[in-house]
Amino acid sequence: MKELAEILTKYLSSAVEVVAAFVIGVALLKFLYRYFRHLFVPGDGSNNQEIRIHFGSALTVALELLLAADILATAIAPTWDDIGKLAAIAVLRTALNYFLERELKTHNAELRQTPLKQN
């Protein structure tokens, strides 16, 4: 039974990593499309900050998925070395996630304070 749990956990961890890579890939494609559209089509309704915020939001989701994959990978009979690596990864990803979320909140607060433009 333990062997089955280990195999299942490894496959699930790999699947979550693939999903995270897919999220990053799609976010990158959207980012590049919107960025180049913004460069070459002035007045398209977007700005660099908004484009960065959307990309950062997708990266936040991907970071959470990658952290989940790392937790799954060390869930079955971890060594102290595995636990130490997981702790370091968790701290780094949590810090990155914290700063991304803080930037998102700051941007959203700025949007709420900016009056709508009258046409």
Side-chain angles (χ1 to χ4, degrees):
M1 189 67 171
K2 182 180 175 183
E3 293 82 20
L4 178 63
E6 287 177 3
I7 291 170
L8 183 62
T9 302
K10 287 179 185 178
Y11 281 118
L12 187 57
S13 173
S14 296
V16 172
E17 286 179 347
V18 169
V19 171
F22 182 75
V23 168
I24 292 170
V26 169
L28 180 61
L29 291 175
K30 281 181 68 176
F31 170 79
L32 291 173
Y33 171 75
R34 292 181 72 199
Y35 180 75
F36 285 117
R37 189 179 73 184
H38 175 69
L39 281 179
F40 298 114
V41 182
D44 67 346
S46 62
N47 60 43
N48 285 339
Q49 182 72 6
E50 180 182 319
I51 295 168
R52 284 181 57 242
I53 293 298
H54 285 283
F55 185 60
S57 178
L59 289 181
T60 299
V61 171
L63 284 170
E64 290 174 3
L65 288 170
L66 289 170
L67 181 58
D70 289 334
I71 290 170
L72 284 170
T74 59
I76 304 292
T79 64
W80 283 108
D81 188 49
D82 292 337
I83 293 171
K85 287 178 185 176
L86 178 62
I89 290 168
V91 167
L92 290 172
R93 289 189 178 155
T94 302
L96 285 171
N97 204 1
Y98 170 77
F99 288 112
L100 283 170
E101 286 291 330
R102 193 172 80 173
E103 188 170 343
L104 286 170
K105 286 179 184 177
T106 302
H107 178 69
N108 288 338
E110 289 172 1
L111 284 178
R112 276 187 250 117
Q113 292 177 352
T114 305
L116 294 174
K117 293 181 181 177
Q118 302 265 336
N119 288 338

